[in-house]
Amino acid sequence: MHMPRLTDLDRRLISALRKDGRAPVAALAEQLGVARATVTSRIEKLKAQGVIVGFSVRVHDHNETGEVRAISFIEVVGRTTDHVIAELRGFPEIMALHTTNGGWDLVAEISCENLRDFDEVLRRVRGIKGVVNSETSLLLSSVVR
């Protein structure tokens, strides 16, 4: 899917919505220096184009007690990438999966309830046919989301 070219107003609006996705249209319009109708039409256009795909709630890390979060870099052998992706899609602990360039083929965002579950997820990932190497870093705290 081709992503549309964003205007400066689009980028500023998206930035404002990232800070507060529940901000009233009137407040956004004032902050951006445009009419309320402009904000409303830009949000609708960005949603229709697939740029804005939804709104969600963010919580402070201290409210995520016990959650173990990590980024895992995964290397696959030969032409097994599609197979590995299909297997990883079945892991409920994988919040997002990305293809990438460089030394690693895939990047997985992992979230588990505790270290025991986290260890089990790593064991299962490494057991997938085609996975030849992985490196995982725990996320200690998020400073920007």
Side-chain angles (χ1 to χ4, degrees):
M1 175 181 198
H2 172 67
M3 292 306 284
R5 186 176 214 76
L6 297 178
T7 66
D8 179 62
L9 176 59
D10 293 335
R11 283 188 283 282
R12 291 186 301 130
L13 176 57
I14 290 167
S15 177
L17 288 169
R18 281 186 174 143
K19 289 177 186 156
D20 182 2
R22 294 184 53 185
V25 170
L28 290 168
E30 183 178 332
Q31 178 183 345
L32 299 171
V34 297
R36 289 182 308 210
T38 301
V39 170
T40 301
S41 68
R42 296 308 301 170
I43 289 173
E44 291 306 316
K45 181 179 177 187
L46 291 168
K47 285 169 46 181
Q49 292 173 330
V51 175
I52 294 176
V53 295
F55 299 87
S56 64
V57 173
R58 296 182 333 212
V59 297
H60 288 285
D61 285 338
H62 68 271
N63 290 332
E64 298 172 341
T65 52
E67 182 183 32
V68 176
R69 297 178 304 132
I71 298 292
S72 187
F73 301 93
I74 302 166
E75 180 184 358
V76 301
V77 66
R79 300 176 186 262
T80 61
T81 304
D82 290 340
H83 166 74
V84 172
I85 289 171
E87 291 291 319
L88 292 173
R89 279 192 175 129
F91 285 48
E93 302 89 353
I94 295 183
M95 302 290 98
L97 184 63
H98 314 275
T99 58
T100 187
N101 65 332
W104 302 102
D105 300 298
L106 300 169
V107 178
E109 298 177 36
I110 301 171
S111 178
C112 298
E113 288 187 23
N114 54 55
L115 285 172
R116 185 181 66 242
D117 292 348
F118 175 70
D119 187 41
E120 176 63 17
V121 168
L122 292 182
R123 186 192 66 72
R124 288 175 26 227
V125 167
R126 291 176 182 137
I128 295 173
K129 184 178 180 179
V131 172
V132 293
N133 193 18
S134 68
E135 180 178 317
T136 302
S137 295
L138 291 176
L139 301 175
L140 303 176
S141 65
S142 297
V143 295
V144 175
R145 277 195 179 176

